DNA sequence: TATTGTTATACTCTATAACTATA
DNA sequence: TATAGTTATAGAGTATAACAATA
C-alpha cells in the first residue's frame, strides 16, 4: 500500500542524455559529411581552435582518443589543407598541428550547422528555457572538465 | 569594429549534448557490464517494460535498429532468461517477446545504476536546477517522439 | 632507454543482403 | 508473392601492439 511507482529507465537523465546525444551527433554527422568531415574531424578542428596549436599526443589526450586515431584524422585534415603539420625544430619527434585559414572557415561552417541543429532540437522550448538548458549543460561540462 | 566574437563550436548545444551523451553512455555501459548487459540490451528490456510484449519487428522500429540486431540482442536476453520468445499462434512467423520476472529485476537494477550516474553527473547542480534539466530534456524527448 | 608518431592488426557495433518459414 | 525472422557478410569506427625516428 505504500508502494511507489518506480521510475522507468526511459525517464532517467542518463537514458535521455544518451539518446539525445546520439540523435544530435547523427544529425551533425549528416551535415558535416557535405564538407568531407566526420564529427571527430570537427572535434579536432575545434580543439585546435580552442587551445591553439599542439602536438598530436597532446591532442590525443585532450580528445580522449588513441594517438593512432589522431594520425588518421590529421592525415585527412592535412590532405584537405585544413591543418598544417610542422616539425618542432627543438624536438624533431613532435608534430605541431595548427589550423589553416581554410580550416578556420571550415570550422565556422560546421559551427553554424551545429547551431542550427541545436535550434531545431530545442524548437519546442521558449527562449528562456533554451538559454537555461544551455547554462545547465555548460555547468555540467565545466564540472566534468570538458571544453570549453 | 562591429565584429562579434563568434560562438565556439564547443559552446554549441549540439557539441555539449553529444559529448555528455557519449560520456554518460560509456559510464552506463561500464555498470551494466557487471550484469552481462550492453546498453542496447537494457534499451530492449526498457522498451518491453514500457510498451508491453511485442514482435521483433515492432521492437526494431521502436528502437530504431535493424531487425537483425534485435535477433542477436534477443538471443542474448533469452539465454539469460530475461525475456521469453513466444510464437504467435495466429501468425506463426511472429515471435512475441516478453519480459520475465528476472528480466524485470535486471531492468530495475540497471535503472538504479542509471539513476545514480545521473545524480553523479549533476552533482554540481542544486535540486531545482537538476529538476529543471530533467524537465527540459523530457520536453525535447517528447517533441522528438522518443520514449517515454 | 624513453618518447613521438606511424603502421599493422584486430575488435566492437551495426547494417545490408541473402535465405527460410510461414502467410 | 509478401512478410517475420534468421544467418552471412561487410563496413565504420576505434583501439592495441609492433615499429621507426629522435631524444
Amino acid at each position: 500500500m505504500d508502494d511507489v511507482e518506480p521510475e522507468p529507465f526511459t525517464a532517467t537523465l542518463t537514458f535521455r542524455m544518451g539518446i539525445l546525444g546520439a540523435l544530435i551527433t547523427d544529425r551533425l554527422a549528416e551535415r558535416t559529411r557535405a564538407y568531407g568531415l566526420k564529427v571527430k574531424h570537427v572535434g579536432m578542428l575545434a580543439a585546435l581552435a580552442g587551445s591553439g596549436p599542439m602536438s598530436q599526443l597532446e591532442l590525443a589526450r585532450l580528445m580522449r582518443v588513441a594517438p593512432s586515431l589522431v594520425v588518421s584524422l590529421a592525415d585527412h585534415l592535412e590532405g584537405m589543407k585544413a591543418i598544417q603539420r610542422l616539425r618542432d625544430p627543438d624536438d624533431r619527434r613532435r608534430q605541431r598541428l595548427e589550423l589553416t585559414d581554410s580550416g578556420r572557415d571550415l570550422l565556422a561552417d560546421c559551427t553554424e550547422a551545429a547551431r542550427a541543429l541545436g535550434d531545431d532540437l530545442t524548437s519546442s522550448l521558449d527562449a528562456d528555457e533554451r538559454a537555461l538548458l544551455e547554462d545547465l549543460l555548460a555547468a555540467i561540462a565545466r564540472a566534468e572538465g570538458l571544453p570549453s
Side-chain angles (χ1 to χ4, degrees), chain A:
Chain A
M1 81 183 332
D2 57 355
D3 277 8
V4 284
E5 194 62 27
E7 181 189 35
F9 179 76
T10 49
T12 60
L13 184 86
T14 295
F15 176 78
R16 290 213 173 105
M17 290 253 310
I19 290 283
L20 290 174
L23 188 70
I24 197 79
T25 300
D26 281 356
R27 289 177 184 172
L28 181 63
E30 265 175 44
R31 303 298 181 92
T32 63
R33 197 154 40 86
Y35 300 107
L37 298 175
K38 315 273 183 165
V39 171
K40 281 263 153 76
H41 291 125
V42 182
M44 188 155 161
L45 295 176
L48 290 170
S51 304
M54 70 188 93
S55 76
Q56 296 189 183
L57 212 52
E58 287 166 333
L59 208 38
R61 283 190 276 257
L62 184 59
M63 294 178 67
R64 304 179 183 195
V65 300
S68 60
L69 181 56
V70 172
V71 174
S72 59
L73 295 173
D75 282 350
H76 183 78
L77 291 174
E78 191 183 29
M80 302 176 72
K81 316 272 188 227
I83 64 168
Q84 270 191 317
R85 266 184 174 118
L86 298 165
R87 273 293 161 196
D88 181 339
D90 296 341
D91 181 346
R92 296 187 35 75
R93 291 172 305 183
R94 313 180 96 230
Q95 301 265 38
R96 181 185 171 77
L97 304 190
E98 60 180 51
L99 278 181
T100 63
D101 287 343
S102 106
R104 235 173 291 273
D105 289 347
L106 209 47
L107 177 59
D109 289 342
C110 293
T111 302
E112 168 53 25
R115 195 204 50 71
L117 286 173
D119 284 356
D120 272 8
L121 192 75
T122 56
S123 58
S124 59
L125 307 182
D126 65 34
D128 285 352
E129 290 171 328
R130 205 177 301 195
L132 202 42
L133 176 59
E134 300 208 343
D135 287 350
L136 293 169
L137 292 179
I140 295 175
R142 210 176 315 114
E144 291 286 335
L146 297 168
S148 68

